[in-house]
Amino acid sequence: MGRIGKLTTAHGKITTPTLMPVIDPSDVILTPIEMRREFGTELVMTNAYLIMKYFGEKATKYGIHRILGYDGPIMTDSGGYQILRYGGVEVSPEEIIRYQDIMSPDIATILDTPTGVHPTKERAKQTVQTTVERAKQAVQLRSNPKVMWCGPVQGGLFNDLVAKSAREIGKLDYHIHAIGGPVELLEKYRYVELVDLVITAKQNLPLQRPVHLFGAGHPMMLALSVAMGCDLFDSAAYILYARDGRYLTSEGTFHLADLSYFPCECPVCVENFPQKLRHMPKEKQIKLLAIHNLHVTFGEIRRVRQLIIEGKLWEHVQLRCRAHPRLLEGFRRLLEYTNFIERFDPVTKKSTFYYSGGESVGRPEVLRHRRRLENRYKPPSLPTLAIMPAFERERPKLSKPERTHLVRVIPPFGVIPEELEEIYPLGQTRAPKKLDPEQIKTATESLRRFLKLYGKCYKQILLFNNEHHWSNSLIKACNSVVEKLKIIELYKIHHRKIK
Ligand code: GUN
Ligand code: ZN
């Protein structure tokens, strides 16, 4: 579901997926201009509620762009998060709408009531209702045509509420939607629940609108989030982690205290080494760590974009989810939604399908092949079916080739009729010859279903046994659905004609 998007704002065009570094107006470590120069930042995020506290009328008088000293696109959050963290804010929903309307950020956010992960269902329901009511009210209050508005989805861990929230807010006039409440899930590595939350929201939102995932700025989980269809990310992580002496990488988080080497190619890491950084004055150390953290995060964004273009995002997600077992768990949960994801997966791609471990059998391409074979396929009317286990590229010498339909069983796809062998991605797949249990299971199952559906179309069924260790499993699968299966030992008949 990963996608490259163009978002046109009052201060310029943005390519998505992208990362918005969060600017704390009271403590600017790196200015937005510096960020644009260093990392190619396109969009920054700040908090209208905090701006109101620090700058008051000044911000409405001069506008947010002059306050931050930045003429590029700016998004403001509303103080919703402060409600979750501190139990409330000293501003009304109407006030913060009007304040943003006048301050004129490129994207503004209504004051939602975040559900979080702790409340009872009753309370969670209230947060969703309040958020939707405020979203309706905000549509009436808005008057600045330059501002695009973000309507957050709430509901927390209650999928039915998340679905309802997404449906209701999706009906309203909003340009962008955000998914609320992942922060607590991210802090605790609760990726299974994060996947449920994001996919449920995506299933119920208008798909053409960009989706922002609040608080998700760790390079380790960006690929997974983009693959779920999220377009915008905000990162306060770069600075929060830096203050804690934590060093972000796409493979996980390290502590400066534990590092002997920097596993990174950014200028900070090339010009320094951990020992040197540890002895720097704290402020300088924080700034350098923050710069490194942003470099790796933007690096990952660029990588993800490139991989989307190449059609290789899925393989990258498989790799990234090796960073932590909980992330792998989350990815495996995503595989349970392949049915939904398959609708968005391009039918052809520029790239070879690389099999890269057990989760590859859960890819949308594999599901699509299975489905189409079951729903759209019609075997040619020939009396004999010849089943050939994988990798034997040579066509066996058959006595009546014109009367025989050859199908190969090629993991991870399973049955591939000869006439479809060049169709993407069946003929553009690379997989290790030694099969893992997931491949054997799906391929065997595919053959069983094929025979169940189409076995009756043939008078005779031959199975070539080429002594791959999974042949037994194939024979068993065949015997369970068709009678009088003829097994042909391929090693005995090579170069001989079969009667
Ligand atoms: N930042 C992190 N989570 C949230 C949320 O649910 N709402 C808002 N407005 N900001 C957030
Ligand atoms: Zn670095």
Side-chain angles (χ1 to χ4, degrees):
M1 297 168 75
R3 53 195 188 175
I4 302 283
K6 294 277 179 219
L7 183 60
T8 307
T9 75
H11 288 80
K13 280 199 169 89
I14 296 158
T15 302
T16 64
T18 199
L19 178 82
M20 300 180 263
V22 172
I23 310 285
D24 177 350
S26 69
D27 184 13
V28 179
I29 302 278
L30 288 159
T31 66
I33 299 273
E34 285 175 310
M35 287 186 178
R36 182 157 61 191
R37 198 176 52 225
E38 282 272 326
F39 317 107
T41 300
E42 293 171 274
L43 174 64
V44 297
M45 183 157 184
T46 191
N47 187 311
Y49 175 61
L50 299 179
I51 295 273
M52 191 185 241
K53 285 195 131 183
Y54 296 120
F55 296 96
E57 301 277 292
K58 202 173 153 197
T60 39
K61 184 169 169 205
Y62 292 111
I64 188 66
H65 290 85
R66 279 183 67 187
I67 294 289
L68 291 191
Y70 186 56
D71 62 356
I74 297 173
M75 175 168 179
T76 47
D77 197 356
S78 54
Y81 186 62
Q82 282 65 27
I83 298 182
L84 187 67
R85 271 281 136 110
Y86 309 111
V89 285
E90 297 148 349
V91 64
S92 73
E94 296 86 354
E95 275 176 284
I96 201 72
I97 298 299
R98 290 217 181 83
Y99 191 72
Q100 292 179 90
D101 210 52
I102 301 170
M103 207 164 53
S104 203
D106 298 81
I107 306 168
T109 309
I110 65 154
L111 189 68
D112 50 339
T113 49
T115 313
V117 296
H118 304 297
T120 60
K121 179 124 192 200
E122 207 40 51
R123 172 73 196 131
K125 217 174 191 166
Q126 277 171 14
T127 63
V128 168
Q129 259 162 17
T130 312
T131 300
V132 172
E133 277 160 25
R134 290 181 181 183
K136 285 182 184 161
Q137 183 192 34
V139 173
Q140 302 303 317
L141 288 170
R142 287 160 14 187
S143 67
N144 182 344
K146 287 192 180 146
V147 181
M148 290 194 280
W149 284 87
C150 172
V153 174
Q154 294 296 345
L157 301 181
F158 302 101
N159 288 336
D160 55 333
L161 294 181
V162 173
K164 181 165 182 277
S165 175
R167 273 197 306 272
E168 298 274 314
I169 210 120
K171 279 186 229 154
L172 305 177
D173 181 18
Y174 280 83
H175 308 82
I176 288 168
H177 294 291
I179 300 177
V183 180
E184 288 157 294
L185 301 180
L186 294 171
E187 280 169 357
K188 298 270 157 57
Y189 283 34
R190 292 166 68 175
Y191 294 110
V192 171
E193 287 146 313
L194 178 77
V195 167
D196 286 339
L197 169 67
V198 174
I199 294 289
T200 306
K202 285 292 292 189
Q203 283 174 327
N204 292 283
L205 282 172
L207 290 162
Q208 75 278 18
R209 293 186 187 165
V211 170
H212 170 57
L213 190 58
F214 274 130
H218 197 302
M220 170 173 90
M221 48 73 68
L222 283 176
L224 176 67
S225 308
V226 171
M228 291 193 285
C230 299
D231 309 286
L232 297 167
F233 303 90
D234 63 272
S235 171
Y238 77 96
I239 182 63
L240 299 177
Y241 280 57
R243 289 218 174 88
D244 247 9
R246 284 188 288 173
Y247 177 95
L248 297 180
T249 80
S250 316
E251 292 91 30
T253 309
F254 298 97
H255 282 269
L256 180 60
D258 300 333
L259 286 173
S260 301
Y261 297 96
F262 284 137
C264 170
E265 306 80 27
C266 86
V268 171
C269 297
V270 172
E271 285 159 23
N272 295 282
F273 47 95
Q275 173 85 348
K276 189 170 148 197
L277 220 65
R278 280 197 288 269
H279 288 97
M280 278 180 189
K282 196 76 185 164
E283 276 313 300
K284 192 161 181 212
Q285 183 193 95
I286 290 172
K287 183 160 180 175
L288 288 178
L289 278 179
I291 292 173
H292 156 82
N293 286 345
L294 280 173
H295 267 298
V296 290
T297 316
F298 277 104
E300 181 68 0
I301 290 278
R302 289 193 299 274
R303 193 173 291 120
V304 162
R305 285 186 191 170
Q306 176 62 23
L307 290 161
I308 291 172
I309 293 170
E310 288 174 19
K312 295 188 85 71
L313 180 61
W314 187 284
E315 284 156 25
H316 185 62
V317 175
Q318 273 182 272
L319 182 71
R320 283 290 178 253
C321 288
R322 258 70 194 169
H324 195 283
R326 302 284 289 276
L327 202 51
L328 183 58
E329 226 175 351
F331 179 54
R332 288 188 177 155
R333 173 71 112 207
L334 183 63
L335 299 184
E336 293 174 28
Y337 295 100
T338 309
N339 227 344
F340 175 64
I341 298 170
E342 189 268 332
R343 288 168 46 198
F344 307 94
D345 186 54
V347 174
T348 65
K349 297 181 185 133
K350 292 177 191 164
S351 51
T352 303
F353 177 121
Y354 281 167
Y355 185 89
S356 51
E359 293 87 26
S360 292
V361 304
R363 282 175 62 153
E365 295 95 328
V366 176
L367 174 72
R368 176 180 297 138
H369 175 66
R370 187 171 76 220
R371 254 205 218 149
R372 293 192 172 188
L373 208 56
E374 286 178 15
N375 301 327
R376 298 186 177 189
Y377 184 69
K378 197 162 162 259
S381 28
L382 293 169
T384 302
L385 173 70
I387 303 162
M388 185 89 166
F391 313 127
E392 201 67 51
R393 297 309 292 182
E394 210 180 316
R395 205 173 195 279
K397 292 192 174 61
L398 305 158
S399 59
K400 286 179 181 140
E402 72 288 350
R403 293 168 59 78
T404 304
H405 183 215
L406 183 69
V407 303
R408 291 178 210 270
V409 186
I410 306 180
F413 297 101
V415 172
I416 302 183
E418 193 179 36
E419 69 274 22
L420 296 182
E421 272 178 14
E422 300 302 322
I423 300 293
Y424 189 88
L426 307 172
Q428 295 78 15
T429 291
R430 296 282 170 277
K433 288 211 165 127
K434 189 146 170 51
L435 303 175
D436 51 37
E438 289 91 347
Q439 278 173 294
I440 294 178
K441 188 160 165 265
T442 45
T444 308
E445 180 58 17
S446 161
L447 180 59
R448 203 183 63 76
R449 289 161 91 112
F450 184 86
L451 291 175
K452 207 165 172 182
L453 281 171
Y454 306 117
K456 286 192 195 75
C457 306
Y458 305 95
K459 287 209 179 70
Q460 181 181 223
I461 298 178
L462 314 173
L463 176 77
F464 291 91
N465 184 3
N466 63 355
E467 289 202 311
H468 269 290
H469 65 287
W470 58 301
S471 289
N472 282 340
S473 132
L474 287 187
I475 293 167
K476 237 198 238 157
C478 294
N479 276 330
S480 73
V481 262
V482 290
E483 288 156 21
K484 283 186 264 171
L485 177 76
K486 199 164 156 193
I487 312 287
I488 294 159
E489 299 297 343
L490 204 56
Y491 63 95
K492 287 185 192 160
I493 54 98
H494 253 317
H495 312 301
R496 264 201 291 131
K497 290 206 168 184
I498 301 153
K499 293 269 175 303

